[in-house]
Amino acid sequence: MTRTELAVETPDGTCRATLHTPEGSGPWPGVVYYPDAGGVRETLAGMADALAGRGFAVLLPDIYHRTPYAPFDTATLFGDPEEFARLTALAGALTPSQVVTDARALVAVLLTRAEVAPGGVGAVGYCFGGSMAFRAAAAEPEHVRAVATFHGGNLAAADDPSSPHLLAPSIRAAVYVAAATDDASFDADQAARLQEACDTAGVTLTLETYPAAHGFAVPDNPTHDDEADRRHRETLAAFLSEHLRRRE
């Protein structure tokens, strides 16, 4: 795979990103690839490489570009109160409006790259990044054709006026949500709430529950699950291929 360093200009400064592409001339369907709360690191870059190997141009952004921070060690993060508090503060400072600002800049860059096929793009998110993928689709409905989230948290939170499920009326993309059987951040009530919101808005939603814990798709997460990860990779590639192939 080829990794190209990019500097994406946003109204709030420069967002560093890497564009991951297959070997060859392309162009390939573009995908904005949102990491989990741990942010950009080699594990996520490797995941982006793997998706690129299936025939996509994958843009992995530094979601925390506004705030300098030391990288997290996800192997010990959740058992270290100080590190977890640092992560919580960093993630909490990233507002929905900032996510939208970045999403518009990221989609715009993808659409201008020679490596990216014309037409729509996808938005994929893991854990904390799941809500970002939803916000990208709602902010850029003319361009985002496919949204996929894996163990996304709080996608349909009750009594939250900024909950992603409330954006369903603005989304034109097909949506795939992979929940986990063991996940307090997206329980059965949230699943039902998300389904109802998408049905009401006419959004095509495929919602599946994997027999695994939250974090199953990310290899450096302590709850990573090999079988669920393999299923996630195959399902994601098929879903994106179905909805991002070029329309004549």
Side-chain angles (χ1 to χ4, degrees), residues 176-183 186-188 191 206-212 216 228 231:
Y176 177 83
V177 171
T181 51
D182 181 11
D183 192 351
F186 188 76
D187 58 17
T206 301
L207 199 163
E208 297 183 330
T209 301
Y210 288 38
F216 63 77
R231 177 180 171 186

Side-chain angles (χ1 to χ4, degrees), residues 9-214:
E9 297 303 324
T10 82
D12 296 331
T14 301
C15 174
R16 294 181 301 106
T18 48
L19 183 65
H20 302 247
T21 53
E23 301 296 334
S25 58
W28 303 277
V31 178
V32 181
Y33 200 71
Y34 290 106
D36 59 13
V40 173
R41 55 195 187 276
E42 183 55 33
T43 293
L44 268 295
M47 293 170 65
D49 281 343
L51 182 58
R54 304 298 292 264
F56 300 94
V58 183
L59 185 64
L60 175 64
D62 176 12
I63 59 174
Y64 299 131
H65 66 88
R66 294 172 180 82
T67 308
Y69 69 100
F72 295 95
D73 181 354
T74 55
T76 59
L77 170 63
F78 300 103
D80 184 329
E82 290 187 3
E83 279 294 271
F84 187 69
R86 183 167 72 92
L87 174 65
T88 300
L90 185 64
L94 185 58
T95 68
S97 63
Q98 290 172 335
V99 172
V100 168
T101 293
D102 288 350
R104 288 176 171 148
L106 294 167
V107 170
V109 164
L110 267 182
L111 294 174
T112 63
R113 297 291 302 188
E115 303 96 328
V116 176
V121 302
V124 177
Y126 297 85
C127 181
F128 181 58
S131 64
M132 297 182 190
F134 267 80
R135 297 190 197 285
E140 291 288 334
E142 296 293 331
H143 300 302
V144 178
R145 284 193 199 154
V147 175
T149 77
F150 294 86
H151 44 81
N154 294 313
L155 299 179
D159 303 321
D160 178 0
S162 66
S163 179
H165 78 289
L166 300 175
L167 300 172
S170 298
I171 294 175
R172 298 185 187 177
V175 177
Y176 177 83
V177 171
T181 51
D182 181 11
D183 192 351
S185 71
F186 188 76
D187 58 17
D189 287 343
Q190 286 203 46
R193 200 173 294 120
L194 179 62
Q195 185 71 65
E196 180 180 7
C198 288
D199 288 347
T200 300
V203 173
T204 300
L205 170 66
T206 301
L207 199 163
E208 297 183 330
T209 301
Y210 288 38
H214 178 84

